[in-house]
Structure formats: C-alpha cells, structure tokens
C-alpha cells in the first residue's frame, strides 16, 4: 500500500463489487454514494451514542442526513471530481499487498457500518431511557 489509505482500499474493493458482483453502469458514482453512506453510518452512530450518553440528546434525522451529504460531497470532490477513483482502479491498492485480507477487511467494514443501522437506535434508546 504505497501512499494509499484505508479509504482508498475500500473505494477500490467497493468498485470491484459494483463491476463484478452487481454490475452498474456508473460504478464510480455508486461507489462514492455507498462508501459515503457506510462512513456516515459509523460517524452518525458514534456521534449519536456520545450525545445520548453525555448530553441525553437524541440527534435528529436532519443532522444525520446533513452529515451524510457532507461526507458525500467530500468523497465526490476527492474521488470523482479529481479522478482519484480512476487512478485507484489502475493502482489496485490492497491491505498489506494481500487480496484476500483486503476483501475480508472491506466486508468486515461494510458489515460493521451497516450494523449501526440496526443496533444503533436500540442502544441509543437504551441510554436515553436509563437516565
């Protein structure tokens, strides 16, 4: 992984998913959207838990959507607008230069972030009701 970050590897493996498993006619746009959604789930989940625990506050859906939109705009500018996404597809970044490990970690990242959709609201409700 030369000069590539974790998000670059996730971008590349999300791209592979949308070209090989679920072919899409605009894979780069789809990757920007889904990667942004995954990142927003984990960020919104963590912020929601912190606010519920420290301030007894339940974040509104508008704030969560705003965070998602902000992440999507940043990812659009970084990956799509600059052409970095296309360069990453040519570079084929991997974690520790290992294809299987990269697939596993990308799948794990997706499952963890998606799980915030399900357990996050339940946990936040538990925190708010416990106070």
């Amino acid at each position: 992984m030369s000069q590539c970050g974790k998000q670059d590897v996730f971008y590349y493996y999300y791209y592979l998913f949308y070209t090989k498993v679920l072919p899409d006619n605009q894979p780069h746009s789809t990757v920007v959207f889904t990667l942004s959604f995954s990142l927003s789930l984990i960020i919104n989940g963590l912020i929601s838990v912190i606010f519920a625990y420290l301030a007894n506050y339940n974040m509104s859906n508008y704030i969560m959507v705003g965070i998602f939109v902000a992440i999507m705009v940043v990812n659009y500018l970084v990956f799509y607008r600059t052409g970095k996404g296309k360069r990453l597809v040519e570079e084929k970044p991997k974690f520790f230069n290992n294809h299987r490990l990269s697939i596993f970690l990308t799948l794990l990242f997706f499952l963890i972030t998606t799980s915030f959709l399900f357990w996050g609201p339940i946990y936040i409700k538990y925190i708010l009701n416990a106070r």
Side-chain angles (χ1 to χ4, degrees), residues 74-112:
V74 169
N75 280 341
Y76 168 78
L77 294 173
V78 169
F79 291 110
Y80 195 81
R81 189 83 165 147
T82 64
K84 183 178 180 181
K86 290 182 181 180
R87 287 192 303 274
L88 288 173
V89 170
E90 292 172 6
E91 289 177 17
K92 301 176 180 164
K94 298 177 181 105
F95 290 114
F96 304 107
N97 209 20
N98 187 324
H99 181 65
R100 288 181 188 224
L101 178 64
S102 299
I103 290 172
F104 173 75
L105 290 176
T106 303
L107 182 60
L108 184 65
F109 171 76
F110 175 76
L111 292 173
I112 288 171

Side-chain angles (χ1 to χ4, degrees), residues 21-41:
V21 178
L22 286 176
D24 190 89
N25 60 351
Q26 289 290 327
H28 288 284
S29 300
T30 305
V31 169
V32 166
F33 180 82
T34 55
L35 184 59
S36 299
F37 185 68
S38 293
L39 290 170
S40 74
L41 286 174

Side-chain angles (χ1 to χ4, degrees), residues 1-128:
M1 221 168 58
S2 63
Q3 298 286 336
C4 290
K6 294 176 215 102
Q7 192 171 350
D8 295 345
V9 178
F10 293 145
Y11 183 96
Y12 175 64
Y13 280 90
Y14 274 44
Y15 177 84
L16 288 181
F17 180 79
Y18 287 111
T19 54
K20 299 193 185 293
V21 178
L22 286 176
D24 190 89
N25 60 351
Q26 289 290 327
H28 288 284
S29 300
T30 305
V31 169
V32 166
F33 180 82
T34 55
L35 184 59
S36 299
F37 185 68
S38 293
L39 290 170
S40 74
L41 286 174
I42 198 161
I43 290 170
N44 280 328
L46 292 173
I47 292 172
S48 294
V49 167
I50 290 168
F51 280 179
Y53 186 74
L54 295 178
N56 202 28
Y57 174 74
N58 192 11
M59 262 178 37
S60 76
N61 293 338
Y62 296 111
I63 295 172
M64 291 182 189
V65 170
I67 290 171
F68 164 67
V69 169
I71 292 170
M72 192 166 63
V73 167
V74 169
N75 280 341
Y76 168 78
L77 294 173
V78 169
F79 291 110
Y80 195 81
R81 189 83 165 147
T82 64
K84 183 178 180 181
K86 290 182 181 180
R87 287 192 303 274
L88 288 173
V89 170
E90 292 172 6
E91 289 177 17
K92 301 176 180 164
K94 298 177 181 105
F95 290 114
F96 304 107
N97 209 20
N98 187 324
H99 181 65
R100 288 181 188 224
L101 178 64
S102 299
I103 290 172
F104 173 75
L105 290 176
T106 303
L107 182 60
L108 184 65
F109 171 76
F110 175 76
L111 292 173
I112 288 171
T113 58
T114 304
S115 74
F116 272 82
L117 269 174
F118 304 103
W119 70 264
I122 295 167
Y123 186 62
I124 291 165
K125 184 177 180 183
Y126 171 78
I127 292 171
L128 295 173

